Amino acid sequence: MDGFAQEFAIAMTSGLLRGSVYALVALGIVLVFRASGVFNFAQAEFGTTGLFAAYAALELWGWGYPLAFVFGLVVAIAMGLATERLVIHPLRNASKVTVLVGTAGVALTAIGLQFWLFNETLIMTMPKISDAFFVTPWGAAVTVQALITAGVLAVVAVLLALFFRSPSGLAVQAAQQEPVAAELIGISVRRVSMMTWGIAAALGGLAGLLTGPILTFTAAFLSFGAFAALLPGFMAAVLAGMRSMPGAVAGGLVVGCVEQLGSLSVLSTRIPGTGAAVLFVFLLAVLLIKPQGVFVGKTVTA
């Protein structure tokens, strides 16, 4: 394998693994948008808040790793439910822009609390589920932690597909598409909204808890920090037309690969920061050619 082919293969491997995190964030964004038509700017902070909670339980309170992980996930879900009750529900008759600003306010509040409680200069480190790694035949170093994240994405995608084909999932879709008719046949739109935000927050929590151990982290870790997944997650959701769950998974993987391919030395040695630039150009081209999204499902369950 020549030098460029090897570098390309390594970039694709890294892109798919990084894209798994983007896909988890994108799934939460798409789920909330399908439920309420809201662009949820707090999605990444569900993950970062859960990560800080797990860190506090593990490092400050002396809990075991499994219990700390579960606690972080519970805190993320609680934040999602609180956002729905305290922000989304009171603003249910407001404009979409107002609700969007409300979710951004939730994110900024969470970031402020993280700085206040954990010191803005302190860099935290979570232990990995596994420190093991291996090197592929083409030279890519793959950690078991990253593979676990990809595996969790696969399991979550399957579970969501099964859920949306179950009676409960069909009830969620009915409440999303025809809320008045759903209420008339006994489906609680309020409970559906709570469940949707809870699931979305759990997805964000998983993204944070699985990614945090890979890097050191500070406040806004998933939004603007060392592993900024919010904007790539939105890009993946746009590729999915903001409605397709399988499309969100595919979009996350594609965004991860495009970003890493943009960082190939043939480009980055000439122009710094090409990964983000190539990603933005790619998204702009997609929006110009197919503004409705690329990975758009043909059925309501997609």
Side-chain angles (χ1 to χ4, degrees):
M1 183 178 290
D2 60 41
F4 178 77
Q6 182 180 20
E7 188 178 4
F8 178 86
I10 292 173
M12 288 294 290
T13 303
S14 177
L16 289 172
L17 294 174
R18 193 176 183 93
S20 298
V21 182
Y22 298 161
L24 283 171
V25 175
L27 281 170
I29 292 171
V30 169
L31 191 60
V32 166
F33 186 84
R34 283 179 53 166
S36 55
V38 173
F39 291 96
N40 178 22
F41 277 84
Q43 181 63 32
E45 286 314 303
F46 294 154
T48 307
T49 300
L51 178 59
F52 271 91
Y55 171 85
L58 186 66
E59 300 293 339
L60 303 182
W61 306 334
W63 295 12
Y65 191 92
L67 188 58
F69 188 97
V70 172
F71 177 70
L73 191 59
V74 169
V75 168
I77 294 172
M79 181 179 173
L81 296 177
T83 300
E84 198 284 334
R85 282 298 88 191
L86 301 177
V87 178
I88 303 303
H89 184 69
L91 295 176
R92 61 190 180 280
N93 296 321
S95 67
K96 299 299 182 185
V97 174
T98 300
V99 182
L100 182 152
V101 172
T103 65
V106 171
L108 292 174
T109 301
I111 293 171
L113 287 173
Q114 292 159 17
F115 277 125
W116 178 50
L117 293 173
F118 292 93
N119 188 336
E120 63 182 63
T121 61
L122 181 63
I123 298 176
M124 274 67 71
T125 303
M126 280 279 288
K128 299 179 178 65
I129 296 175
S130 173
D131 290 313
F133 72 95
F134 62 92
V135 179
T136 64
W138 52 91
V142 177
T143 64
V144 171
Q145 182 77 25
L147 287 179
I148 290 173
T149 304
V152 167
L153 170 65
V155 171
V156 165
V158 171
L159 290 177
L160 284 175
L162 294 174
F163 172 74
F164 279 106
R165 286 167 173 78
S166 69
S168 296
L170 293 175
V172 169
Q173 294 177 68
Q176 292 169 351
Q177 295 175 12
E178 296 291 343
V180 176
E183 288 281 7
L184 291 175
I185 61 173
I187 297 175
S188 173
V189 175
R190 181 174 178 176
R191 290 180 181 174
V192 165
S193 180
M194 288 283 286
M195 180 169 59
T196 300
W197 279 84
I199 295 174
L203 293 170
L206 286 172
L209 290 165
L210 293 171
T211 310
I214 297 175
L215 301 167
T216 54
F217 62 93
T218 57
F221 171 70
L222 281 181
S223 293
F224 314 108
F227 204 113
L230 181 61
L231 190 55
F234 267 108
M235 291 181 177
V238 169
L239 292 179
M242 296 302 297
R243 292 193 175 276
S244 172
M245 304 298 282
V249 175
L253 299 178
V254 167
V255 166
C257 288
V258 170
E259 181 182 48
Q260 293 302 305
L261 290 176
S263 299
L264 291 175
S265 62
V266 67
L267 295 173
S268 60
T269 54
R270 294 181 174 86
I271 307 173
T274 52
V278 168
L279 188 56
F280 277 109
V281 171
F282 169 75
L283 181 64
L284 180 60
V286 168
L287 290 176
L288 290 174
I289 297 171
K290 199 170 182 183
Q292 72 273 23
V294 177
F295 306 110
V296 181
K298 296 182 180 180
T299 65
V300 294
T301 57

